């Protein structure tokens, strides 16, 4: 039976690759976006042209009411959400003492509150069905920490704490909650660092290359799939050995 997935930040980068992968695996997909309407609508059309089902829905994940509306629209069009992927994210690059309060709060609003909002919106139905799967996209910096990315790393670490705690709480209800922690993945977020930094990051990666959005999408699909049905509360690093 076709299942429905909802992917936040599905318009670009890792989220877009996750959407494509899940659609290829037969999921109907709700594609959340913030600003990239044309990209999200184009992706939904691409999936429909291939015989799949998809709907692009705008919402700032930091906005609780907007998230509820977007998830309601997706469920109405595509059916109850069986898989939630919390992928929406923003980057940071500044010293801790220069980090404006608004930026600190925005990092937590998008990464931690965003997951709080989406999960609370889909959970009643999953609890009723006694089935469901949640995959959160954290970061290796949420595991290890990183200079000039304190707010980013702290909010991504919060997502790992949320994952582990919620996994314990929801396991008796047959709902699994896991995390992927990508390393350096070539998306718009990383392109912004410039070619020199990108080349140096690739050199520092034991696997000898940077990751692709598809590398992360494969890990998300694994955690969402039946091969992982006894795996919950885990953080799967997808980084070519970067933090070993
Ligand atoms: P990206 O290319 O910049 O794409 C970010 C996506 O998130 C876009 O679809 C964007 O939507 C969406 N988004 C941002 N803020 C949002 C909000 N408030 N509400 C809803 N959607 C929002 O980034 P990416 O590299 O694919 O990153 C995806 C996730 O992976 C992020 O959580 C990031 O922290 C994490 N990650 C990335 C890397 C990496 O190296 N790239 C490494 C570790 C972790 P619009 O385009 O519509 O604005």
């Amino acid at each position: 039976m076709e299942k429905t997935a909802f992917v936040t930040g599905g318009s670009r980068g890792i989220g877009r690759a996750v959407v494509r992968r899940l659609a290829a695996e037969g999921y109907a997909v709700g594609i959340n976006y913030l600003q990239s309407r044309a990209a999200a609508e184009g992706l939904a059309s691409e999936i429909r042209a291939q015989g799949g089902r998809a709907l692009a829905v705008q919402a700032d994940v930091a906005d609780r009411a907007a998230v509820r509306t977007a998830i309601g629209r997706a469920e109405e069009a595509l059916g109850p959400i069986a898989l939630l992927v919390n992928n929406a994210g923003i980057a940071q690059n500044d010293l801790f003492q220069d980090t404006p309060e608004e930026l600190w709060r925005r990092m937590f609003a998008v990464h931690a509150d965003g997951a709080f909002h989406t999960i609370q919106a889909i959970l009643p139905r999953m609890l009723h069905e006694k089935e469901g799967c949640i995959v959160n996209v954290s970061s290796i910096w949420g595991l290890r920490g990183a200079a000039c990315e304190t707010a980013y790393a702290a909010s991504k670490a919060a997502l790992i704490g949320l994952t582990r705690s919620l996994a314990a709480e929801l396991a008796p209800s047959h709902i699994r909650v896991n995390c992927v922690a990508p390393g350096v993945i070539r998306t718009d977020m990383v392109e912004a660092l410039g070619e020199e930094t990108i080349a140096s990051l690739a050199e520092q990666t034991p696997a000898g290359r940077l990751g692709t959005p598809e590398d992360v999408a494969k890990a998300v699909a694994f955690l969402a799939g039946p091969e992982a049905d006894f795996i919950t509360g885990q953080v799967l690093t997808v980084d070519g050995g970067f933090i070993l």
Side-chain angles (χ1 to χ4, degrees):
M1 200 183 77
E2 186 188 55
K3 287 184 173 179
T4 299
F6 189 83
V7 181
T8 69
S11 48
R12 292 185 291 116
I14 292 170
R16 179 172 54 195
V18 170
V19 167
R20 284 188 174 134
R21 175 87 195 200
L22 295 176
E25 293 196 1
Y27 283 89
V29 193
I31 306 166
N32 159 254
Y33 65 96
L34 178 62
Q35 289 176 316
S36 303
R37 179 179 183 160
E41 296 283 6
L43 185 56
S45 302
E46 173 192 311
I47 290 167
R48 287 194 291 263
Q50 289 163 1
R53 294 199 304 137
L55 180 75
V57 281
Q58 197 279 338
D60 180 345
V61 293
D63 180 337
R64 187 172 177 82
V67 165
R68 283 192 177 267
T69 303
I71 285 181
R73 280 189 57 211
E75 290 202 317
E76 204 176 312
L78 305 172
I81 292 164
L83 167 63
L84 169 67
V85 182
N86 282 310
N87 162 80
I90 47 174
Q92 178 208 9
N93 183 13
D94 53 6
L95 292 169
F96 181 72
Q97 67 265 33
D98 297 335
T99 302
E101 183 181 345
E102 312 81 69
L103 179 66
W104 176 270
R105 297 206 183 286
R106 183 68 183 159
M107 284 285 156
F108 278 82
V110 174
H111 299 143
D113 300 4
F116 174 64
H117 296 152
T118 55
I119 294 169
Q120 280 203 333
I122 53 113
L123 205 49
R125 217 192 269 263
M126 281 189 182
L127 285 168
H128 181 260
E129 302 288 328
K130 287 216 176 301
E131 190 184 2
C133 186
I134 299 167
V135 181
N136 296 318
V137 180
S138 180
S139 164
I140 53 169
W141 307 133
L143 282 166
R144 198 181 77 169
C148 299
E149 297 191 62
T150 302
Y152 178 82
S155 60
K156 287 294 190 180
L159 200 48
I160 292 172
L162 179 153
T163 300
R164 291 181 173 143
S165 307
L166 197 58
E169 196 171 305
L170 296 180
S173 303
H174 310 288
I175 300 166
R176 297 183 301 105
V177 191
N178 287 292
C179 232
V180 289
V184 189
I185 309 297
R186 279 203 91 143
T187 66
D188 296 342
M189 194 179 267
V190 164
E191 296 302 335
L193 299 173
E195 272 311 316
E196 210 174 304
T197 309
I198 289 175
S200 144
L201 287 165
E203 250 174 57
Q204 290 170 58
T205 305
R209 66 168 177 90
L210 296 187
T212 64
E214 291 71 29
D215 289 324
V216 184
K218 279 188 273 187
V220 171
F222 164 70
L223 288 171
E227 300 293 318
D229 62 5
F230 201 52
I231 299 177
T232 195
Q234 299 306 302
V235 183
L236 180 56
T237 298
V238 186
D239 71 345
F242 195 87
I243 60 165
L244 287 177

